[in-house]
Amino acid sequence: MHLGIIGMGRLGSFRARSLRQFADVTDMTLYDHKLSTTTVLASELDAMVAHSIDEVIDARPDALVISTSTVDHAKLVETAIEANLTVFCEKPISLDLSATDRLVGLVAASGVQVQVGFQRRFDPTFKMAREKVVMGELGRIYLVRMIGLDHQPPPEHFIKGSGGMYKDMHIHEFDLVPWVVGQSIVEVYAEGTVLVDEAFRRQGDVDTTALILKLSGGALVVLTGSRHNPLGYDVRMELHGSADSISVGWDKRVPIRPLESKILGFEPPYLTFFDRFDTAFQTELVQFLRVVRGEIESPSTVEESKQSLLVALAAETSLKEHRPVSVDSVIDCSE
Ligand SMILES: NC(=O)c1ccc[n+]([C@@H]2O[C@H](COP(=O)([O-])OP(=O)(O)OC[C@H]3O[C@@H](n4cnc5c(N)ncnc54)[C@H](O)[C@@H]3O)[C@@H](O)[C@H]2O)c1
């Protein structure tokens, strides 16, 4: 199998190295605006170097992996669809609703498979939680509590193009909650502030936030997030139902210090998302290769990504206007 990979930054170089491990992947063509980084990586991975998107397409890969900065995702996905190439694209698929709608239409009309990079769907414990909900083991879901803490805040140039706290970071939870709980998010109330780094305020963003989400089946979700946790990278979920209460993420590497000192056996905490979601990232790519081979359909679609974007847009409006916002009422103000 021959893969074209675009964007050789933090994620793209990780994807290229991960994909190199699969015996199936015999050829890779790499492209980034930054030629020097690409050349070094290509020599490490025995891959070909392209000097433009057109050169990647002309190399006739079987599929395209898009790991560029978010702002270019939509147009690159469109280019791949025009070339009839199966696509893997990092989240979020786009920051605006009209571009996402356009992609939803193009995917439906072309039949091209597009997988969006929400790796938490492939985390073994989140998957187990979903299965327990589906099997009815939790009974009626009452409450969900989620926490998402980065270890260190990103640099200002990343914040600038990221789409902000909701479209960049909490979009993971907006994707995950419906996937695990089996209920869509219907209403959002968001509060946010800047306590970590003034760079967030300069970019019109927040770095500390608390949200209440209402789900279609009546369950309530409390989601808290910060761009800085001195102890490490922390993603957790608790589900409380009429028959059981379960948690995801409370393992020996959870970056929090319980004051009950008798709890022993803690190991060095997770510091990055690569570390915390190592297995999930690998499984996600295994599934993508199956999509490319035509064995399965995309396990994380553009249509589903539209739903998480709608929730993020509702959160932004809620933050701005200090009121609960129904997800149905969202119209695109991002252009
Ligand atoms: N799944 C996750 O948990 C996760 C985590 C972090 C980032 N991401 C996503 O991954 C994407 C990349 O993030 P990153 O941290 O690697 O950013 P980055 O800034 O480290 O890398 C982006 C790279 O893309 C290149 N690039 C940008 N536009 C390009 C274009 N049109 N053509 C070719 N190259 C181009 C840049 O030169 C840079 O090398 C973002 O969309 C981000 O939201 C996902």
Side-chain angles (χ1 to χ4, degrees):
M1 189 187 293
H2 177 184
L3 298 178
I5 309 177
I6 305 177
M8 292 295 121
R10 208 168 38 146
L11 260 284
S13 53
F14 170 75
R15 298 295 189 189
R17 288 193 176 99
S18 304
L19 287 162
R20 193 19 114 213
Q21 309 302 316
F22 296 109
D24 254 30
V25 179
T26 48
D27 299 287
M28 298 199 302
T29 300
L30 313 183
Y31 170 62
D32 191 293
H33 289 324
K34 296 175 192 155
L35 185 59
S36 56
T37 326
T38 316
T39 311
V40 171
L41 198 67
S43 116
E44 175 194 323
L45 301 177
D46 191 22
M48 289 167 280
V49 175
H51 299 82
S52 65
I53 305 294
D54 289 346
E55 258 189 56
V56 179
I57 305 288
D58 289 347
R60 306 180 71 85
D62 297 297
L64 215 57
V65 174
I66 298 168
S67 295
T68 64
S69 327
T70 301
V71 67
D72 285 341
H73 288 179
K75 76 171 186 224
L76 289 170
V77 172
E78 200 167 327
T79 304
I81 291 174
E82 276 165 14
N84 202 27
L85 293 173
T86 306
V87 187
F88 179 91
C89 181
E90 305 295 350
K91 56 48 65 177
I93 192 88
S94 170
L95 298 177
D96 75 78
L97 197 50
S98 51
T100 306
D101 272 333
R102 188 176 155 76
L103 288 182
V104 170
L106 287 173
V107 168
S110 65
V112 169
Q113 293 291 315
V114 180
Q115 180 176 336
V116 185
F118 284 109
Q119 80 279 358
R120 294 183 193 181
R121 291 178 175 219
F122 305 95
D123 175 79
T125 331
F126 278 123
K127 194 162 165 277
M128 200 188 300
R130 172 184 155 97
E131 283 160 9
K132 287 186 177 302
V133 173
V134 170
M135 298 303 288
E137 289 178 30
L138 272 71
R140 180 170 198 190
I141 307 291
Y142 299 145
L143 287 169
V144 180
R145 297 206 310 155
M146 287 212 74
I147 194 159
L149 308 177
D150 276 347
H151 177 31
Q152 297 296 344
E156 187 158 359
H157 72 82
F158 180 87
I159 302 168
K160 193 173 177 186
S162 71
M165 190 82 174
Y166 301 132
K167 286 189 285 211
D168 175 56
M169 183 169 150
H170 281 321
I171 196 120
H172 280 290
E173 281 84 10
F174 301 151
D175 177 71
L176 197 66
V177 167
W179 188 80
V180 170
V181 182
Q183 300 178 24
S184 55
I185 300 169
V186 293
E187 191 181 274
V188 184
Y189 179 69
E191 282 290 347
T193 187
V194 175
L195 298 175
V196 174
D197 186 339
E198 283 303 310
F200 288 93
R201 198 188 313 278
R202 282 197 293 277
Q203 297 304 331
D205 199 358
V206 293
D207 55 34
T208 309
T209 185
L211 302 98
I212 294 174
L213 314 175
K214 281 191 190 164
L215 303 189
S216 52
L220 296 177
V221 182
V222 176
L223 164 62
T224 48
S226 168
R227 289 289 198 176
H228 181 221
N229 172 29
L231 297 196
Y233 178 82
D234 193 0
V235 170
R236 277 177 283 134
M237 182 184 226
E238 287 175 9
L239 291 142
H240 303 285
S242 57
D244 203 0
S245 286
I246 59 172
S247 73
V248 179
W250 269 110
D251 63 26
K252 290 186 169 186
R253 298 190 62 196
V254 64
I256 194 164
R257 268 182 346 97
L259 293 181
E260 294 82 1
S261 58
K262 289 204 179 90
I263 300 177
L264 296 174
F266 275 81
E267 292 169 8
Y270 299 111
L271 295 182
T272 66
F273 51 80
F274 291 129
D275 197 14
R276 168 70 178 80
F277 290 112
D278 180 38
T279 305
F281 275 120
Q282 297 310 317
T283 311
E284 178 181 48
L285 291 180
V286 169
Q287 295 307 312
F288 175 61
L289 297 186
R290 294 186 65 206
V291 176
V292 180
R293 289 194 294 265
E295 293 168 8
I296 56 167
E297 301 214 320
S298 167
S300 174
T301 66
V302 174
E303 178 75 48
E304 291 169 303
S305 285
K306 178 183 167 182
Q307 288 311 309
S308 49
L309 177 63
L310 284 170
V311 179
L313 292 169
E316 286 181 350
T317 305
S318 173
L319 176 71
K320 204 162 117 198
E321 300 180 5
H322 291 286
R323 64 177 178 89
V325 174
S326 112
V327 174
D328 273 353
S329 72
V330 172
I331 51 158
D332 190 13
C333 307
S334 54
E335 288 183 297

